[in-house]
Structures are given as structure tokens and as C-alpha cells.
Amino acid sequence: MTTVELPTYKPKDFASEQEVRWCPGCGDYAILAAVRKVLADMSAPKENYVFVSGIGCSSRFPYYMGTYGLHSIHGRAPALATGIKSTNPDLQVWIVTGDGDGLSIGGNHLLHVIRRNVDVNILLFNNRIYGLTKGQYSPTSERGKKTKSSPFGSIELPMKPIAFALGAGATFVARCTDVNRGGMNHMPAVLKAAAQHKGTSFVEIYQDCNVFNHAAFFYATEKDEAAEHTVYVEHGKPMVFGKARDKGIRMNGMRPEVVSLEHISESDLLFHNEKELTVSQILAQMTHPEHPEPVGVLRNVQKPTYEGQLTFQIDSTIEKFGGEGTIEDLLYSGDTWTVSE
Amino acid sequence: MSNESESVPDHQSPAAGSSPQETLESVVIRFCGDSGDGMQLTGTQFTNTSAMFGNDIATFPDYPAEIRAPAGTLPGVSGFQVNFASNDIYTPGDTVQVLVAMNPAGLNANVADVDPGGIIIANADAFTSGNLKKAGYASNPLEDGTLSSYRVFPVPISRLCEESLADTGLGAKAIAQAKNMFTLGLVYWLYDRPMDSTIDYLNSYFGKKKNKPELAEMNVKALKAGYYLGETGELFVNRYHVPKAKLASGTYRKISGNEATALGLITASRLANSELVYCSYPITPASDILHTLCFYKHYHVKTLQLEDEIAAMCGAVGAAYAGGIAVTGTSGPGLALKSEALGLAVMAELPVVIVNVQRGGPSTGLPTKTEQADLLQAMWGRNGECPAIVLAARSPSDCFDLAIESIRLAVRYMSPVILLTDGYVANGAEPWQLPIVDQLEPIEINHASEFNYHNDELDGDGNNCYMPYLRDENESRPWAIPGTPKLEHRIGGLEKDALSGNVSYTPDNHEHMVRQRASKVNRVADSLPPTEIQGEQSGDLLIIGWGGTYGSIYSATNKLLQAGHKVGTVHLRYINPLPNDLGDIIKRFKRVAIPELNLGQLSIMIRSKYLVDAVGINKVKGKPFLVAELVEQLSALLPAPTAGSNGVKEPSAGSGKTKSQAAVAK
């Protein structure tokens, strides 16, 4: 009996030699540290990871990972990742994008990579602002937001990334925050679940741009706020939240409502079911300040992957033909005729 | 193989002797009718049969962008022209000797191209007052004498077809759709073609693929009914026979440019022992490449139909990064959308092939018509100094050779290669002498697997790190693919350090890298074969062509040579870089003319690079050059031929004459 030595990694093995150049205090640092740690805990060899990104602050991420990386063009990372994963399905492909890169210029590609269920992991850093271009409103900026390009307030309605992903047919949707100063950082668990999911994993990460949109998500990240304004959802468990875990979500007809657990038992609350699309869609519509915002894995189902089916069609066609085609068969087929001297 | 038990008359059968037969060297037939009349199929079948029979062929399908334009109108006319010959031909023909018009609109749109004395076969039943009006006729041209310079054969095709199929029990609509096969049968009889190949096709397509044997039977019956009408109807005084062409010995098949491109790409991936990843978005006239490739999964061909042109380009860049044979195909508007991602491939130095099947532009332009107006877009249509290798196929079968060449150059130089074809080459067909498979050169790919550089600041003797932008003897960089241990590295669209590939904004490094990328592409010229000149090696006029105009320019050059003119022709397949010897060749001629289907794009390149006062011969009608118009315009640039040199001058062997196999880079 022989044993194979599996690689064991430390987070620093996933660092590159390049100096990290985000602004001091940027939420990206925490995400980078969490991803390195999660990867060190996984079993895949380091050379099998590819980080693909577009343009924006978040998209510098691949440079700071000691893996293979491709820093591409604005919004197109999902399309590049589709090409990479289709070519070599053994690779672990991660896409790092932002609210501008992924939902504005790259909205179409994000939609279709999710729809195809390519087995990639998408981390969408949502800071509700364009950071790298120095502070214009983004597709997730709230209406009325004053920015460099909206001095009188943005006249656009923000989109909900989670609802978008669900609408595209996502098989895995989750949300977490860059930090949680209330001592409940769910990012490692969420990232690990995303990495383990076979199919497209979409993770929205609330990320603080401390230069252009500081404190946008403090309601969801700060010590006394997080527990009151977020609900951590777990499959099969009732939706309970609050610092004292004294509140819950109950359905009132078609609408979720916040109830006090003083008079209502947990069994009457909405139970999370990550396999049931309706539940995920209800969660996607819960926004601050009317509702606590859900964090954790909102949806997790299995469907055939794009590259899996691509490979299957090739393998089964080769089997049907009794082997690979030869160049001779390729060219000398159909209606041919011979001319002799 | 025919399933029919009835024997099918062919040109050797006694029945063929019932009309006197005349032998012709070549004939150009054009089938035309409504876009729903099945003219493309009719023309294709006639072509296949003629090719299999042994004629040389050249075709020109010409159809509207609308799938079904309003019936009977001029914009809805679809045409298919085929030139079949017992001699070597290079174009589908300037004019036609036979026009088959299924309706008045078809006649009106095409009659001007018929030679005086030519044959017009018209479906008389379609010449109703309503159809005449829609086609812009005040009176019926079949009856009013306006066609008196032609030999006109009005045949009640619709009625005769209906009558012959009355006992099939099929509906009127189905029967009406068989009139193209009835017509084809009639033309088969007239030009002494065997029906077997079409009967096989009908049985296989309707009988097996569509599982409608009753439709197969009906169409075969219509085909034969048309044939027998020719035999017994005494419509025509003569029958015509075009003997086999004297083609070089070998195995042939009929091939269109798009098919040849697809087969070339697959062949190249197999020669490279790698997987073809073709990323595309549907666009006319390039979609047939995708349609062809998606059947060849047992050749490890992955076809990705992506969400848009940008995604298709990006998918290909991703595929190249991951180590696949990465290709995307498109047409002009799609190439515009791909330009940013193409720039990424230039910057990251990844091997991607972009096939651009040019069509009429700008914007949506003329989707189904041909043009050569994307040359400068391919050359310079990107932000920054962004050089790519550019090749141009000159004929349908040349697409096969250049598809392989594109991939060979892409992986050797780690560079995007743009392969320009056009609607004319892509949809046109010719006999293709199949290459001997053992003689196809393997494509070498060496993915980096080891450290390639010693860095003093790092531990270890010898090479102790991987530099993704270290140059080899071709100024190319190594291609380490994800999954390779120890060679993990990051690349992207930001300017890179000349060795490590890390982001670098240093002024000197940027200038170095800009010059390096240009220099690498220019290096390709060192490996090109000597440029072939058709005709004179020096003289009064050098004609420089590129791409799909090859057949017309070749034929025009021959006519000028035969008239005693001192002309030479270079037909470029390598556009960027241009061949090293082109400058010297230009100096050997007094003048230079550049015929192109655009307003002078190659002219801009040649004039600026060689400082020569080249004269442009330009046409932008969505149609190929006619040989006659080239001869006329080129003659105007030439002195009168000198006395005594008016003998027929055949171009020497190796002068770029062979249609299929021209030399490629070494």
C-alpha cells in the first residue's frame, strides 16, 4: 500500500511576491486574507487555481495571489473564465469582480456565466461606488446618492445583485461581509461552501471603500449593528437574529415580517431552505432598514455544469464513433472523386 | 447510393442521343428566384454533380439578408451562379450563358448579365400580372419581344411539376416546393449531367435526416419529371456536354471557404495534438464555420456559442491562456466589438486566431455581400500600438492552408493572428485537391514546465524562477499553462515588465515593450517563402492583390499577358508583416496597380511603406471584380503592347497558379 503525499499549505503560500496596493483600510485586505486562508485549507494543488478579474480595485486581486492569474479587461472576466474552464475543467477558477465591473459593463457576461452554470466561483465585491475611477455612482448606489458624477443625487434605482443572480438561474448564491466587528465573521464558511459547490457559485461581499463610500455597510458590519441588521441563514433552521437572538422572520401572507420572539415561537418562523427558490427569492428582497439583510448561503442546488456537459458530449461522441477522428477521415470524407493521369 | 430501382439515364445512355449534342469548354449558369424558391440548394446540387463528374467549378451564391423577403419582389431575389468547365477556371464568370429564372423579379434582376444569344429558361407560370408588377414589368417580357436577343424558353414549370406529382397525394404547398428539383432535372438533361448524386442527397436529407420518405420520393419524382421533360418534350434543339477537366491527379472534393476554414482549424489542432476551442457568436457570413465545427466533437473540438462577440473573443483568450488551440470567428461588425479583447491578447501575448469573414460595411452594411474593407481594421483598429499578424485567404481551398498557417504562426510567435476571408471566398466553392495527410507538417507546441531564469536574489543554483516574458529565438515568450507546478504567474492588460510580466509603469520599459511587440510580429517576415510573381518578373506594371480577388486578378493578368503586356502580379496572403522581398519586386516595375474591393486600403499600406505612387482600382458594390472590368482598367495604365510579343503567354509553373497549395512560412 502506497500513500500519496497531499500538499499542505499555509495562507502565505497563496501570497504572490507583489506588494498589495489597495488604500490603507480598504475592505479588500480582509477578503484577500480570508481567500488565502480558505484555499490553504482546501486540498487542491496550488497550481490548479486561476484567479480571473476585470478592471477595478477588486480586479487587482489576482496580482496578490500566488496562483495563476489573469487580470483582463473591464467586465469580461466571466467570459475569459468560461474559456479557461471549458478548455481545462480540472482547474479551480475564481472570478473577482465588483459592482461596476460585474453589474454594469460586464452585466451580460455575469448573467450568462451564471445561466450556463460554469463551475467557477464568483466573488462580487460590492462597495456601491466606482473606486478606481475615483468616486462615481455604481449600479448598486442608492437613489439620491451624491457622488462626483451625481452632485444633485443619483436618479437611478439600485439593483440587487442576489436577485440578479437568482434570476439568472444561479445554483449557488451567498452573501457575506468583509469584516464583522460583532464577532460573527461568516466569510470563511461562505467562501468554503462556494469553493465546494460544483457549478457557478455567486458570492456578494459587502466591502467598505473607505475613501469614496466609507461606512456604506456599517449597519451590517459594526459591533452593535451587525446582529441587529443581518440574519445569518442556515439550511433547515429558523430565521432568528438580533444581538439577544430575540427576533425572527415570519411570513405574513406573501411578505416577510420581523417579529419578536417574546410571544412567537421559533417554529412559526420562516425556515431557511437553500433548495427552495421561493425562499431564496424572498431573502433576496429583504433590504435594510425594513428588514435584516440575509448573510450566509441563500441558495445551493445541483445542476449539470457547462464544462461537464461539454466534456460528456465529446467523450460520448468519441465512443459512438469508436475512437477519435483522424485527419485522413476528416478530409477524405463526403463526396470525393479521384483524378488519375 | 440510390435507393431507386428505376435506372437513371446518364450522358452515356442511348436516350441521351435523341437530341444533337454540342460540346462546350465551359458554361456559366445562374439559377435565380425568390429567396424561398430553393435556388441555393438547386445551385449547390448542380455544383456537386458537376464537381463529382470531373469538371472544374467555381460558384457565386448571392442572396438577400432577409430570410424571406416579400415574395416576387426584386429585393427578395436569390441567385446561385456556377461556372463548370473542362479547362482551368478561376472565377464564377463575368457573364452568364444560361439564366434560369423562377419568377419575373429574378429575370429582371439578372437579365443584364446574360450574354447576347444566351439561354433564358423561365417558369412561365410565375409570370402573372401580379408578379410582373412586383418585378417592375409593364408587360410580360416573355411575350413582348424585349428578350429577342436571347434564346428564351418559357416553360410552365409550376403546372408541369404539379401534374407530375398529382398522384403523390401530397398537399399543394409541398408540391409547389418541389419545382426547384423539377427545374434542376430539366437543366441536368440539357447539360447532360447524371442525377445520381442529387437523388442520393434527397433520399438522405428528406428520407433519413428529416425522416420524411414521402418528401424524398416526391422530390426525386420531380427531378426525374424535369429530366424526362427535356428528353421527350422537344423544348430544346440541342443538348450540351462539358467534358471533364484535366485536373492534376489526386483525390478531390468540392469545398467552400467556410468549410475549408473549419477543416483547416480541426486539422491544425490535430497536427498540434491539442484541442480546438472555437468561441463564436452567430454572424453572417461566418456562422457556417461554427455550424461545421460543432459536428466534429470526436476530434476534441469544443464549440462555445457565447453571449456576444466580446465574450467570444474573451472566451478564446481564456482558452489560449489555459492551453487550447483558441479560435474565434466573426465578420466586420464583430471584429469591431472584439478589438479591446484582441488588444488583451496582444498585450498578454497569447496565441489566438480570429477569422474575419468580411462583408459589406460600415455598420451592419451588406451582411450577405462581399467586400474587402476590413483590412485596416485588422491592421490598426485597436487602441495603442497593437500589432497582430494578418493573413488573407485567396480562394475557398486556400482557407484550409491558411487556417493551419494561422495556428502555426499564433503558437510559434505567441501572437493573435487575424485570418481575413470574405463572403465571396467563404460561400464560393471549388474542387479541392486533398492534401496527402502524411505530408502535413506537425505543429510544435512546447508548454513551459521548468524554471527558465536565474535570479540572484532567490535561492538555488541554475534556473530558480519562471519569467513569462523571457524571449526565445523568435522573440516569442514561453507558454506556461495553469496546472503546471511552480510556474504560477500573473498576466494581464496592464503594461508588463519585460521579464517577469509584473505590472510596470516605467517609461523605458513601456517603450521597450511597445517596440518588442512590433518587432516580434515583424520577425514573421523572415520565415516567409519568396514571393511568387505571376507573369513577368519585371516590366511595365506590377499588380498587387490580396484575398478573394485572386481568381479575377489571375484571369485578368493572363489576358493582359496574352495581349503581350509586360505585367506581373503578386497576390498577397501575408499582409502583416508584408513579405521582405516585396519592396524589391515593386522596384522592378514602372508602375503599381492595386485592385481591391474597398476604397484603397492595401494602397494606403503599400504607398506608405514603399513610398510608391500605386494606383488603386477600387470597387464597392458588394460584388466581386469582373475579369473584363479589371482588364479594361489595367490596360488603361499600360503602354500599347509591343509588336511581336502578342503570342499566347502561359504563366510559368510555380507562378502562383495552383489553386490549393501555395507555399507557407518556414
Side-chain angles (χ1 to χ4, degrees), chain B residues 562-578:
Chain B
Q562 283 162 13
H565 289 295
K566 295 198 179 322
V567 296
T569 288
V570 164
H571 203 83
L572 298 170
R573 297 157 82 226
Y574 296 90
I575 309 287
N576 196 38
L578 288 164

Side-chain angles (χ1 to χ4, degrees), chain B residues 38-60:
Chain B
M39 291 298 96
Q40 300 304 316
L41 174 67
T42 309
T44 305
Q45 281 303 310
F46 193 94
T47 306
N48 288 353
T49 291
S50 299
M52 300 277 289
F53 173 74
N55 293 129
D56 197 357
I57 51 156
T59 71
F60 179 44

Side-chain angles (χ1 to χ4, degrees), chain A residues 275-312:
Chain A
K275 313 288 176 202
E276 179 53 56
L277 182 59
T278 313
V279 174
S280 307
Q281 282 168 334
I282 289 166
L283 291 171
Q285 298 302 329
M286 286 169 39
T287 52
H288 181 73
E290 291 78 20
H291 293 102
E293 295 188 344
V295 292
V297 178
L298 277 62
R299 179 160 174 79
N300 189 357
V301 293
Q302 283 300 313
K303 283 185 183 170
T305 63
Y306 180 79
E307 73 283 356
Q309 297 174 88
L310 190 67
T311 309
F312 174 79

